[in-house]
Amino acid sequence: MTLLGSSRLAQRLAERILADLRDAGAQPGAHLAEQPLADRLKVSRSPVREALTLLAGAGVVERRPNRGFFLACDASALPEAAPASAAPEPDEALYQRLVEDRLAGALPDRVSERALARRYAVARGRLLTLLKRAEAEGWAERLPGRGWGFPPVIDSPEAYEAGYRYRLIIEPAAMLEPGFRPDPAVFRRLRAEQEALLGGGARMLSRAELFAVTSGFHEGLIALSGNPLLLDGLRRVNRLRRLVEYRLYADVERLARMAADHLRILDLIEQDEREAAAALMRTHLRRSRDARRGAIGQHATGNASR
């Protein structure tokens, strides 16, 4: 079952709710109370409400005014929830080993599939699955024949610091551009994603999905500046820093603090206090930089569980 237009977390929660209902053999008319679901899934009520709304749109549950959500069909008739976008990442440990080897400089800039298959002792089909994921995320590229290349990424403390200094220049300034125009639809999406992170949703998303949500917040705001060059510049920096960020997403409490900053920035912009929003963005970026300072050197090659 694919729920189009949903956030990553809402999609995951909708799948979990469907699976629980099937396992429990729930009957039509069963009340799907938000708070018990939120408690069981260890998130806040907002993303649960979004997930139930998605299921209502798919005809799986019914929303009754002033009463909440109720199952609309027998549990045995519920669809399987397995959209490709939310499927578990295959071979995650091996993928993280590939990431760490790239950051450590253990992989050459150009290498054949055969050499990679020997290095990781995997069949070509399994290797291609990993490489295609890396290609989709922008840090690997297929070469003519059966070769692969690995474009430059941020892999040193100096480069990481330079990336943050660049962001400190362009991101606060983007909010003060004459062409900056808040977009209510964009703000609703960004707010829902950040509230989900703040409510515990970070525990349900992969590192790639977390990076998409957090970097997407900053890209979503800078896109409103009316200056496409600013957006292009930030996207390039985000592509370069992606792999390092994967190492840093185990700290759920830090992600929650970051989401709280993001929500406050949205509040200030909506209150037409853009100077204050820009100042908070600058503080937020400095805080994030300081929290990460030295992280590259502290992570040993192959420490994929971090």
Side-chain angles (χ1 to χ4, degrees), residues 84-120:
S85 63
E89 299 288 0
D91 296 318
E92 187 66 27
L94 182 56
Y95 186 76
Q96 291 304 321
R97 183 181 164 196
L98 190 69
V99 167
E100 293 293 334
D101 283 353
R102 178 67 187 93
L103 287 172
L107 293 176
D109 292 339
R110 299 166 67 95
V111 63
S112 69
E113 286 180 10
R114 179 177 296 180
L116 287 171
R118 284 198 305 268
R119 178 182 180 87
Y120 296 104

Side-chain angles (χ1 to χ4, degrees), residues 249-298:
Y249 281 165
D251 187 347
V252 175
E253 290 186 3
R254 184 184 64 79
L255 288 169
R257 291 192 296 272
M258 179 176 62
D261 277 356
H262 289 170
L263 289 169
R264 179 58 182 155
I265 289 169
L266 291 178
D267 288 341
L268 290 170
I269 295 174
E270 289 178 329
Q271 294 163 13
D272 199 25
E273 297 182 26
R274 284 198 284 156
E275 291 279 359
L280 179 54
M281 177 63 81
R282 193 172 295 109
T283 298
H284 168 73
L285 290 172
R286 285 173 176 158
R287 186 183 299 133
S288 295
R289 178 198 61 189
D290 293 345
R292 292 163 162 84
R293 185 168 280 153
I296 296 176
Q298 293 170 3

